[in-house]
């Protein structure tokens, strides 16, 4: 993965989790939010439409540095003030994109990553009760949250405190799938939050 430094590797029941520091990163692609202002917490954006728009426009992305990867962010799902959103895109080195291409700028953060494997799904089912649903990767978020962001763990979820950092799914053209969860250390208060 780009713009990152490995902090730690943790193996639990044969499942490898990596903890990385991710530098400030730009993402370019398609984005939209749920459009029911009366019920922003229980309304989902049209994920299929956003994905179709991304597929239609991805060749327009300027400066893509992950052309073999489709990245999906779940935006503002932890915020009660803003509607839930979905973003499909790629990492880019250019903030200047053509009309219709949205840019998300993610501040530096710590990410915990796991690859979607049979062992990861077995561990997810064992610890969270979630089985591997057809075409649904999000239960792997619950696995990371339970193992690394609960109880006495040294991390906690960032929610939407850190600009542009959200739970993400990475689909690679070779078939590999990863999920990432942005976290912060419980014992460190970043300077920008003081």
């Amino acid at each position: 993965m780009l713009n990152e430094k490995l902090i730690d590797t943790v193996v639990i029941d044969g499942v490898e989790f990596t903890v990385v520091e991710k530098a400030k990163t730009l993402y370019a692609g398609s984005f939209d939010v749920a459009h029911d202002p009366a019920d922003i917490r229980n309304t989902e954006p049209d994920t299929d439409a956003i994905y179709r728009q991304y597929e239609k426009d991805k060749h327009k992305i300027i400066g893509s540095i992950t052309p073999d990867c489709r990245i999906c962010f779940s935006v503002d799902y932890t915020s009660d003030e803003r509607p839930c959103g979905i973003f499909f895109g790629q990492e880019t080195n250019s903030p200047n994109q053509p009309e219709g291409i949205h840019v998300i700028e993610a501040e530096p953060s710590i990410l915990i990553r796991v690859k979607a494997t049979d062992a990861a799904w077995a561990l997810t089912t064992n610890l969270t009760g979630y089985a591997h649903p057809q075409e649904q990767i999000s239960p792997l978020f619950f696995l990371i949250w339970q193992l690394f962001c609960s109880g006495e763990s040294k991390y906690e979820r960032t929610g939407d405190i850190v600009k542009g950092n959200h739970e993400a799914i990475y689909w690679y053209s070779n078939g590999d799938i990863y999920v990432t969860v942005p976290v912060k250390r419980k014992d460190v208060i970043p300077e920008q939050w003081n």
Side-chain angles (χ1 to χ4, degrees), residues 118-185:
D118 290 342
W121 282 112
L123 185 59
T124 300
T125 301
N126 185 43
L127 294 181
T128 70
Y130 288 101
H132 183 193
Q134 187 70 12
E135 296 188 25
Q136 182 60 262
I137 305 300
S138 59
L140 292 174
F141 295 143
F142 304 132
L143 176 65
I144 293 174
W145 296 334
Q146 183 165 333
L147 290 173
F148 294 92
C149 303
S150 64
E152 299 298 314
S153 65
K154 62 182 173 181
Y155 298 105
E156 61 185 331
R157 295 171 62 187
T158 61
D160 296 307
I161 295 170
V162 180
K163 182 180 131 189
N165 290 296
H166 309 281
E167 284 79 12
I169 304 168
Y170 291 69
W171 285 275
Y172 287 88
S173 58
N174 68 1
D176 289 347
I177 302 170
Y178 290 83
V179 301
T180 62
V181 171
V183 297
K184 62 183 178 179
R185 287 186 57 113

Side-chain angles (χ1 to χ4, degrees), residues 30 52-61 100-101:
S30 298
R52 285 191 305 275
Q53 189 67 45
Y54 163 74
E55 283 295 313
K56 178 179 159 225
D57 292 342
K58 67 182 177 184
H59 69 281
K60 297 179 187 176
I61 295 173
I101 301 293

